[in-house]
């Protein structure tokens, strides 16, 4: 976690591990937003992410409160969008999206 302790020890995971309660997808997405807002040092990157977050990009606002698959897909899409933007900006010669096609051909269908 942010304190250097395991996530469930310092509370960073936002779940009460003793009760087994799992946070809703909106709590998880807000956690990602907070981490980007508070810790991302690239100002332009932060602003872009926050604007896309607020604009419901990559299907964020279509994720239901217990749609954990949708949560993962939103995070994957947002991450790959950043990777593509960065690759274009820096004229990268390799595809930086994740997972690589070679590692997961089914992911690209």
């Amino acid at each position: 976690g942010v304190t250097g302790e395991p996530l469930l020890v310092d509370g960073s995971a936002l779940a009460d591990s003793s009760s087994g309660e799992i946070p809703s997808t909106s709590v998880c997405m807000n956690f990602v937003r907070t981490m980007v807002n508070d810790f991302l040092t690239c100002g332009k990157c932060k602003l872009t992410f926050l604007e896309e977050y607020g604009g419901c990009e990559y299907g964020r606002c279509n994720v239901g409160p217990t749609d954990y698959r949708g949560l993962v897909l939103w995070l994957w899409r947002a991450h790959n969008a950043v990777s593509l933007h960065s690759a274009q900006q820096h004229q990268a010669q390799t595809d930086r999206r994740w997972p690589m096609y070679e590692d997961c051909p089914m992911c690209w269908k």
Side-chain angles (χ1 to χ4, degrees):
V2 296
T3 65
E5 294 290 328
L7 290 176
L8 293 177
V9 173
D10 74 357
S12 296
L14 301 175
D16 181 354
S17 60
S18 63
S19 72
E21 183 179 325
I22 298 173
S24 70
T25 57
S26 62
V27 169
C28 296
M29 287 186 280
N30 283 329
F31 178 77
V32 172
R33 184 198 181 285
T34 298
M35 295 299 288
V36 167
N37 187 59
D38 293 350
F39 297 106
L40 189 64
T41 58
C42 170
K44 185 175 180 180
C45 303
K46 180 188 300 192
L47 181 61
T48 298
F49 176 84
L50 295 175
E51 286 174 350
E52 290 177 347
Y53 184 93
C56 297
E57 295 292 326
Y58 317 114
R60 185 183 70 78
C61 293
N62 298 326
V63 177
T66 59
D67 180 11
Y68 297 101
R69 182 177 188 277
L71 170 66
V72 170
L73 289 173
W74 164 74
L75 190 55
W76 177 60
R77 290 176 185 134
H79 181 274
N80 279 342
V82 170
S83 294
L84 285 173
H85 178 78
S86 180
Q88 287 174 340
Q89 186 175 23
H90 299 289
Q91 299 173 343
Q93 300 299 311
T94 59
D95 188 345
R96 297 172 58 178
R97 292 174 290 177
W98 181 88
M100 295 186 324
Y101 179 82
E102 294 82 11
D103 293 337
C104 184
M106 294 297 296
C107 298
W108 294 94
K109 291 187 178 195

